Amino acid sequence: GDSVTQMEGPVTLSEEAFLTINCTYTATGYPSLFWYVQYPGEGLQLLLKATKADDKGSNKGFEATYRKETTSFHLEKGSVQVSDSAVYFCALSRVNYGGSQGNLIFGKGTKLSVKP
Amino acid sequence: SQTIHQWPATLVQPVGSPLSLECTVEGTSNPNLYWYRQAAGRGLQLLFYSVGIGQISSEVPQNLSASRPQDRQFILSSKKLLLSDSGFYLCAWRPGNTIYFGEGSWLTVV
């Protein structure tokens, strides 16, 4: 079945460091790919998305490129801030398939802590 | 604009007591609605989804149930809570190909 694998955390970085959180997926067909962020004590917010191969999603300085050849959607940011401390979830959605009506398949999440 | 709300935000309930979490969506009609659970130290698990009034599909057999009495209302319930029901419950809806989440409800069963 479909699945998402993302790097285990926690990840601890200093402010202004470069961030990469790896995400790979297994899916039949052409899923849409997403990154969600969960700040402490809050729900999930959509961070960025990409709906087809080679698309690049970007938001708040974060970027991720849909790589079909490597089945990956790695999250990157050039210079992290303390306010980026959160849990990041990679997810895929098989919108055009039956079953769970476009349900999201999530990775287990990666906790990022940014130190000043 | 479309928004999603769920409540209560925090709940502490004794084992064996009932549960009702409510979710409403504004600014849209006939949305697909979802209930997810995030247990401590674990990822997100889809519990229920609904494509319309009275139409509920369960993804995981458990102590919980869901109902959709109105187009934009989705309710998560239990008749008798278990300790293992503790977690963070998220309601979500899907316009197009993107799922958006509510603020979440923290449930602690004691």
Side-chain angles (χ1 to χ4, degrees):
Chain A
D2 296 356
S3 66
V4 173
T5 303
Q6 60 181 105
M7 62 188 289
E8 299 274 339
V11 174
T12 302
L13 295 174
S14 297
E15 207 165 23
E16 300 184 359
F18 184 85
L19 169 71
T20 298
I21 300 178
N22 291 336
C23 172
T24 57
Y25 68 90
T26 302
T28 52
Y30 302 95
S32 293
L33 301 173
F34 305 84
W35 277 101
Y36 286 84
V37 58
Q38 185 178 32
Y39 297 103
E42 299 184 9
L44 271 72
Q45 300 176 25
L46 177 67
L47 181 59
L48 52 84
K49 67 178 182 181
T51 57
K52 61 182 187 296
D54 299 325
D55 267 3
K56 176 185 282 188
S58 60
N59 185 27
K60 299 181 180 180
F62 291 89
E63 292 183 340
T65 301
Y66 188 160
R67 302 288 188 196
K68 184 173 180 295
E69 63 275 14
T70 55
T71 61
S72 65
F73 193 54
H74 304 322
L75 182 69
E76 297 181 337
K77 187 174 185 182
S79 176
V80 294
Q81 305 300 312
V82 172
S83 58
D84 294 326
S85 298
V87 180
Y88 292 82
F89 291 92
C90 184
L92 70 82
S93 174
R94 301 177 298 135
V95 175
N96 296 319
Y97 282 72
S100 300
Q101 297 294 316
N103 173 40
L104 285 169
I105 307 297
F106 283 94
K108 293 186 176 180
T110 302
K111 183 176 182 180
L112 170 66
S113 295
V114 181
K115 306 298 183 185
Chain B
S1 63
Q2 302 106 340
T3 57
I4 181 169
H5 299 288
Q6 63 177 103
W7 66 91
T10 306
L11 203 57
V12 179
Q13 292 285 97
V15 170
S17 64
L19 171 72
S20 180
L21 300 179
E22 187 166 342
C23 172
T24 59
V25 181
E26 299 175 357
T28 186
S29 60
N30 199 33
N32 282 10
L33 296 172
Y34 307 81
W35 278 110
Y36 285 83
R37 177 171 60 197
Q38 184 180 27
R42 300 175 64 179
L44 288 106
Q45 180 184 42
L46 177 66
L47 302 176
F48 301 95
Y49 69 94
S50 171
V51 299
I53 295 174
Q55 300 179 64
I56 308 295
S57 295
S58 174
E59 288 293 300
V60 181
Q62 59 214 319
N63 185 41
L64 302 169
S65 62
S67 61
R68 187 166 176 177
Q70 300 180 40
D71 181 43
R72 291 171 290 173
Q73 184 184 32
F74 202 23
I75 297 172
L76 182 70
S77 303
S78 173
K79 292 182 179 178
K80 290 185 177 182
L81 284 168
L82 306 172
L83 285 174
S84 57
D85 292 324
S86 294
F88 189 45
Y89 290 81
L90 291 154
C91 182
W93 72 294
R94 181 171 69 83
N97 72 341
T98 303
I99 290 181
Y100 295 94
F101 291 86
E103 306 94 334
S105 298
W106 288 98
L107 170 65
T108 303
V109 183
V110 296

